[in-house]
């Protein structure tokens, strides 16, 4: 939802700003396409880099734990038993469980129960990049519906209206997924998205007034 909201606001604000400068439809459309492409790539690149950094941290943790197990396997076994005991198991059972896990895959046991890392929680840079770019693209396509309007003024209004509607839907869905109240988050998303479009519309009008 965050990516979709970004796509909606960024693309619509760009198109509204250009439309407010009384630019030709082709220029508005080109600006919108360029905005969607640039935004999607920026989201993908940003998430790929940040999640890749997380992967580096995870690998460093794995290397550190592997070294600890090589230097002190007995101490690491006791440490794992301590973890299970702190979670509520009797000491004898905690030692039995720790010994069982150590016999199968001690590194996996420590990464899961000591470091909080598991296969299903590991960072995946490519997946994060694709998801971010896709969500931005989906949101960024909505403002293009405004290009269906026949005149410059109606085109500007329709871009604004369809974007507000898209933001309302995205805000409501995001709030519903989060399990919280729907109205307040939706109003917040719509309000700030509208402010962004009004600001860029003002910039476009100012540019037109200066003959740019």
């Amino acid at each position: 939802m965050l990516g979709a909201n970004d796509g909606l606001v960024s693309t619509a604000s760009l198109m509204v700003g250009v439309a407010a400068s009384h630019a030709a439809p082709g220029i508005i459309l080109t600006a919108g396409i360029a905005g969607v492409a640039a935004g999607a790539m920026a989201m993908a690149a940003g998430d790929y880099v940040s999640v890749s950094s997380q992967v580096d941290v995870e690998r460093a943790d794995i290397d550190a734990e592997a070294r600890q197990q090589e230097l002190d396997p007995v101490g690491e076994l006791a440490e794992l038993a301590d973890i299970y005991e702190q979670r509520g198991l009797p000491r004898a059972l905690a030692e039995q469980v720790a010994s069982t896990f150590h016999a199968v895959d001690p590194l996996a046991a420590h990464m899961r129960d000591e470091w909080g890392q598991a296969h299903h929680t590991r960072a995946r840079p490519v997946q994060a990049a694709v998801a971010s770019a896709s969500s931005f693209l989906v949101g960024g396509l909505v403002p293009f519906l405004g290009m269906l309007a026949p005149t410059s003024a109606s085109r500007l209004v329709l871009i604004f209206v369809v974007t507000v509607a898209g933001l309302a839907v995205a805000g409501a869905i995001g709030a519903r997924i989060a399990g919280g109240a729907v109205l307040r988050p939706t109003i917040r998303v719509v309000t700030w998205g509208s402010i962004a479009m009004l600001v860029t519309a003002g910039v476009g009008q100012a540019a037109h007034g200066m003959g740019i």
Side-chain angles (χ1 to χ4, degrees):
M1 287 297 101
L2 290 176
N5 284 337
D6 284 346
L8 276 162
V9 175
S10 298
T11 308
S13 296
L14 181 60
M15 294 177 69
V16 164
V18 177
S21 69
H22 299 269
I27 296 177
I28 301 172
L29 190 61
T30 300
I33 293 172
V36 168
M41 291 306 299
M43 291 283 289
D47 272 10
Y48 184 85
V49 170
S50 63
V51 177
S52 293
S53 298
Q54 185 179 342
V55 170
D56 294 337
V57 172
E58 292 177 352
R59 288 174 178 169
D61 291 342
I62 291 172
D63 292 341
E65 180 59 36
R67 287 193 299 270
Q68 290 173 11
Q69 292 191 25
E70 289 179 2
L71 295 173
D72 188 13
V74 176
E76 289 299 303
L77 176 59
E79 184 180 28
L80 193 61
D82 290 341
I83 292 172
Y84 297 144
E85 186 178 15
Q86 291 170 7
R87 293 180 181 176
L89 292 181
R91 183 64 191 184
L93 181 56
E95 290 177 348
Q96 181 181 352
V97 172
S99 297
T100 301
F101 282 140
H102 258 244
V104 177
D105 190 341
L107 182 59
H110 277 271
M111 295 313 300
R112 180 184 63 248
D113 295 317
E114 181 183 351
W115 297 86
Q117 291 186 26
H119 178 73
H120 66 279
T121 63
R122 287 179 183 167
R124 294 173 174 82
V126 175
Q127 181 178 340
V130 171
S132 294
S134 299
S135 60
F136 187 97
L137 180 62
V138 170
L141 291 177
V142 173
F144 285 90
L145 295 173
M147 297 302 297
L148 298 175
T151 65
S152 176
S154 62
R155 194 175 298 121
L156 181 60
V157 171
L158 187 56
I159 293 173
F160 190 94
V161 170
V162 297
T163 301
V164 168
L167 287 171
V169 171
I173 293 175
R176 183 66 67 183
I177 292 174
V182 173
L183 184 59
R184 182 176 294 179
T186 303
I187 292 175
R188 184 168 57 239
V189 169
V190 170
T191 298
W192 284 102
S194 299
I195 291 173
M197 288 187 287
L198 290 173
V199 169
T200 55
V203 173
Q205 286 281 10
H208 176 69
M210 291 184 293
I212 299 177

